Amino acid sequence: MTGQLHPSDPSSVAGYRLLGRIGAGGMGVVYLGRTEAGALAAVKVIQAEYADDDEFLARFRREVSAARRVESEWAVPVLGADTEAERPWMATAYVPGPSLAEAVTRCGPLPARSVRVLGTALARALEAVHAAGLVHRDVKPGNVLLGRDGPRLIDFGIARAADATTALTSAGMVVGTPGFLAPELAAGGGAEPGPAGDVFSLGCLLAYAATGRPPFGTGASDALLYRTVHDEPDLEGLDEELRPLVRECLAKDPELRPAPRELAGRLAGDPAADPLGWLPESVVLLIAERSARMLDLPDVEPTRAEPVAPTARPGRRRLLAVAAGGAAVLAAGGGAAVVWNSLRGAGGPSAAADRWIIGVHADLSGPGRVSGREQERGVRLAVEEYNARPDRLFELAVTTADDGGSPERAVGAASELADEPRLLAVIGPTGDPEAEAALPRYEEAMLPLLAVSPGHPSLAGVALPGGQSRVLLHLRPSDLALSVPIGVHLFEQAGVQRPGLIQDRSTDLESSAVALATSVMARDAGHVLHPRVVPPGVHEAEGFGPVVTEMLEAGIDSFVFAGLPEGAAAVARELAAAGFTGPRIAPQSVLDPLFLEQAGDAAEGWLVHASFVDAAGLPAAEGFSTAYREEHGSGPGYRAAEAYDAAGMVIQHLAAAAADGEMPSRAALAPLLRESTYAGITKEFAFDPDTGDFAGEGRFAHEVRDGRFTFLGPV
């Protein structure tokens, strides 16, 4: 994950354009950089105050030298460096994936096969490190990155030559990470680090990957060092075949540990056989989301016929699993519809009720006002329903904050809501940029934020003082997860062999995710994808005609458009004029009346995948639709029903708490919501309790028929 550049940061270093911060320490900053050719790099730049520190520069030169000496496909290579520059720097290849530590924390322990493949790759990396006459000295989960084409060992900051006679550390200093440090080094007796110490660290890492916990526990450094020297490792839960080999790696006597080459042979994993197939589905999706974000980085120079960047190949079964389900969604909301009909019009409010507030943060006056107003109406209907209950124990109110579709105004809107002491939860904002801007303020107030429409993966990477958000709940699949069914649908169509794809960079919301998912699915299905990337504004300039003509001449038999409704309409007209009748699919940004207006008859037959329903076409939402029509004189628009469900989920928890005699605080409500499931009228809601990510089924298909979008149901 990357954070924004600071005003004091340089814009470029030695030809690398800096795009964001990967991390920072007391002595340097690591930036995400890109060359003019588009290659990404992790650029480590030393702070100016250390550039004249001879001892520190000696360490940095040693780090650069060590990294350059290692030649392994499973270690991150050095792309360039200048240790004598005014601000010394080093660039290594960038791996757009999580560390092993993050993957295990977010997705849980790895299965035995995954551990074997991981261990094989890292053992081969250590073999190369030791062949170069080096010892890594800090093999740990945070120093292993999981990329699209396999794991990578990183960080040679404390590596040293195995035969070095001059130490650059103080006498008696323990160098390495407690809990992953070999006992001969943890004892602090001045033992020299050797290759066997790296093998011990790798054994600790494999135990952690397989069980989700370090083999010598957690806690204070002194306690970890003591247990490493004197106690046996905790290998409970480790696969029976792996346990003896890991135990050999963790032998107290360095002479009894296997060498990396022997270890790789006995693990017998092949990381190159299936670059992503060795990992569980949840980790594959995490890697894919990180890769998708890389497609959203600013262009160096946009081009009109740029091929889509190569992507990894998770197995078809795994991507199908992400898109599977949904058949039970229609049934899941039936109870909610009955509740609505039975409570609507029930007895009046109780005069003794306490008053609490649900906030709606939305774009009510800007470009997203249609969706924002629908979400406000959905929340208000849910609150009216509750207030009509004769047995209610408190009264609810709704207050709104309008950000006008502006990230700058979104911060003020969030503060306005957060400062209301009786407000317990917020539904919104409408757009991704506004949600990203507002989230830190809601985090500061520990105010639960239920995001109905935002779904871009970058929202999960917002830089927060405490790290991962504690208050955010995603009420829909991410753009990447939502894009997977597009490929599933396309490649299950009879006769589809050469799909075409246009990625319109006018939007950074779904286009990169759709491009990534379609590319992965095409490769896995054995099809030849014909992709084109166009810069913003093409439909306003020369149009899509030349690009569409070139794609048709290349023989495409199906088509995916990733972009805005105006661009989709322009492409639809070009395809219709050429007589193209193959499958045509687009993401939910195209589910807009503008597409129908501008495309005209050319829109017929287009299929659009979305995270929201048409409540008028959903039997479970019949009561909601009737009530909405009575209130507003017309049927509900998109996302009104989802916002109604969001409010209903909050109300369910508040009502249960009130029945037990105590309303939850804001801080207590967020984890309660994350740990819950809720059968709404649109779908069943479930979440990852640690991250707030949506874990339910929420993908729906709409098709243009007779000049209007027709709701087809769950995908």
Side-chain angles (χ1 to χ4, degrees):
M1 285 191 254
T2 60
Q4 293 183 342
L5 294 173
H6 294 182
S8 59
D9 287 331
S11 59
S12 64
V13 171
Y16 290 93
R17 177 188 174 190
L18 303 186
L19 306 175
R21 281 179 165 226
I22 297 174
M27 297 183 180
V29 180
V30 181
Y31 299 99
L32 176 62
R34 183 164 60 186
T35 66
E36 291 184 0
L40 295 175
V43 184
K44 186 174 187 177
V45 181
I46 302 306
Q47 301 282 27
E49 58 265 38
Y50 292 99
D52 296 325
D53 185 326
D54 291 339
E55 182 177 346
F56 179 80
L57 282 179
R59 293 181 184 178
F60 184 65
R61 292 188 189 105
R62 186 182 64 187
E63 177 183 357
V64 173
S65 174
R68 278 178 160 162
R69 287 162 65 179
V70 177
E71 296 182 1
S72 171
E73 60 181 319
W74 309 117
V76 174
V78 175
L79 303 179
D82 188 349
T83 60
E84 310 306 319
E86 182 176 348
R87 291 190 63 181
W89 62 274
M90 175 176 68
T92 58
Y94 180 70
V95 179
S99 68
L100 175 64
E102 181 186 356
V104 171
T105 299
R106 293 190 61 176
C107 305
L110 301 181
R113 175 173 177 265
S114 300
V115 176
R116 286 184 176 278
V117 174
L118 174 71
T120 301
L122 296 180
R124 291 176 182 172
L126 286 181
E127 184 180 0
V129 169
H130 300 161
L134 299 170
V135 181
H136 188 282
R137 297 207 295 173
D138 203 18
V139 178
K140 62 182 180 181
N143 279 341
V144 175
L145 297 180
L146 303 180
R148 295 178 299 173
D149 52 355
R152 295 291 187 278
L153 181 65
I154 64 169
D155 199 350
F156 291 81
I158 62 172
R160 61 174 293 180
D163 59 354
T165 57
T166 302
L168 290 174
T169 54
S170 301
M173 179 181 290
V174 174
V175 179
T177 301
F180 295 87
L181 192 65
E184 63 268 26
L185 303 176
E192 290 295 328
D198 284 345
V199 173
F200 184 95
S201 299
L202 179 56
C204 293
L205 181 148
L206 296 179
Y208 170 85
T211 66
R213 62 184 188 278
F216 297 99
T218 58
S221 296
D222 289 346
L224 289 173
L225 295 174
Y226 180 89
R227 290 198 291 266
T228 301
V229 174
H230 299 286
D231 293 352
E232 289 301 311
D234 174 15
L235 302 181
E236 186 66 28
L238 198 63
D239 178 77
E240 291 297 329
E241 293 183 4
L242 279 173
R243 187 181 301 175
L245 185 53
V246 171
R247 190 177 294 281
E248 286 185 39
C249 294
L250 300 181
K252 304 296 185 187
D253 184 352
E255 297 294 326
L256 300 179
R257 299 171 200 155
R261 174 174 291 188
E262 177 190 354
L263 182 59
R266 291 171 64 185
L267 285 167
D270 188 359
D274 188 350
L276 282 174
W278 62 282
L279 286 168
E281 297 166 11
S282 55
V283 180
V284 171
L285 184 57
L286 186 59
I287 295 172
E289 287 177 345
R290 297 292 167 81
S291 299
R293 290 179 205 169
M294 295 303 101
L295 297 176
D296 280 337
L297 295 172
D299 285 324
V300 175
E301 289 292 340
T303 57
R304 188 161 59 84
E306 176 187 349
V308 170
T311 53
R313 292 184 52 192
R316 183 177 183 83
R317 286 178 297 172
R318 290 185 300 286
L319 285 171
L320 286 172
V322 174
V329 171
L330 290 176
V338 172
V339 170
W340 173 276
N341 289 323
S342 64
L343 295 177
R344 182 80 176 168
S350 165
D354 291 327
R355 185 173 181 272
W356 298 92
I357 301 173
I358 293 178
V360 176
H361 181 157
D363 177 1
L364 302 175
S365 60
R369 59 186 177 276
V370 173
S371 180
R373 291 171 182 172
E374 288 297 322
Q375 292 185 46
E376 179 192 358
R377 289 178 173 182
V379 173
R380 289 192 182 278
L381 280 175
V383 169
E384 288 175 14
E385 169 197 330
Y386 178 77
N387 285 339
R389 291 177 55 166
D391 61 340
R392 77 184 192 282
L393 299 176
F394 57 90
E395 184 177 352
L396 275 175
V398 177
T399 188
T400 62
D402 177 17
D403 62 31
S406 163
E408 292 75 18
R409 288 180 58 183
V411 178
S415 294
E416 178 184 335
L417 294 174
D419 290 342
E420 170 53 61
R422 298 191 71 79
L423 190 147
L424 294 179
V426 173
I427 295 167
T430 309
D432 285 271
E434 294 74 50
E436 186 169 339
L439 181 56
R441 181 66 184 93
Y442 289 120
E443 192 74 25
E444 178 186 354
M446 285 303 293
L447 183 56
L449 182 65
L450 289 78
V452 171
S453 47
H456 198 240
S458 65
L459 186 57
V462 173
L464 297 169
Q468 184 77 42
S469 173
R470 296 162 293 174
V471 302
L472 178 65
L473 285 90
H474 294 271
L475 270 68
R476 51 156 287 197
S478 70
D479 289 334
L480 182 65
L482 188 63
S483 301
V484 171
I486 292 178
V488 174
H489 176 92
L490 184 65
F491 301 122
E492 288 184 346
Q493 298 297 302
V496 169
Q497 292 294 326
R498 188 169 176 78
L501 166 70
I502 286 183
Q503 181 185 352
D504 182 359
R505 293 302 298 269
S506 294
T507 173
D508 66 350
L509 296 181
E510 293 110 338
S511 63
S512 61
V514 174
L516 175 67
T518 306
S519 177
V520 168
M521 294 297 293
R523 292 183 181 199
D524 200 63
H527 297 315
V528 179
L529 184 67
H530 192 79
R532 289 294 179 263
V533 178
V534 298
V538 165
H539 67 281
E540 299 170 353
E542 68 269 30
F544 285 94
V547 179
V548 172
T549 298
E550 184 273 331
M551 297 177 79
L552 292 173
E553 290 176 349
I556 65 168
D557 54 21
S558 51
F559 188 84
V560 176
F561 179 83
L564 295 173
E566 302 95 316
V571 168
R573 294 194 300 269
E574 295 289 347
L575 290 173
F580 184 85
T581 59
R584 290 145 291 160
I585 311 179
Q588 68 179 18
S589 57
V590 176
L591 196 60
D592 188 297
L594 190 62
F595 173 66
L596 302 178
E597 294 168 9
Q598 295 190 4
D601 293 341
E604 283 297 303
W606 275 69
L607 188 72
V608 180
H609 284 224
S611 64
F612 49 83
V613 304
D614 179 355
L618 190 63
E622 182 178 353
F624 166 79
S625 298
T626 299
Y628 185 103
R629 194 172 294 108
E630 291 175 357
E631 187 87 14
H632 300 289
S634 61
Y638 295 137
R639 296 191 177 93
E642 283 78 12
Y644 165 79
D645 275 345
M649 182 168 57
V650 173
I651 292 170
Q652 172 182 271
H653 281 279
L654 297 182
D660 290 337
E662 186 175 358
M663 296 295 284
S665 66
R666 293 173 172 181
L669 182 57
L672 286 175
L673 291 169
R674 285 184 169 190
E675 293 168 2
S676 70
T677 58
Y678 180 72
I681 59 173
T682 60
K683 53 182 173 279
E684 184 164 337
F685 295 84
F687 309 93
D688 182 318
D690 296 322
T691 66
D693 290 343
F694 183 75
E697 299 297 340
R699 304 162 182 87
F700 306 95
H702 306 248
E703 186 177 17
V704 180
R705 295 178 181 175
D706 300 325
R708 62 181 298 271
F709 289 113
T710 300
F711 181 61
L712 303 184
V715 180

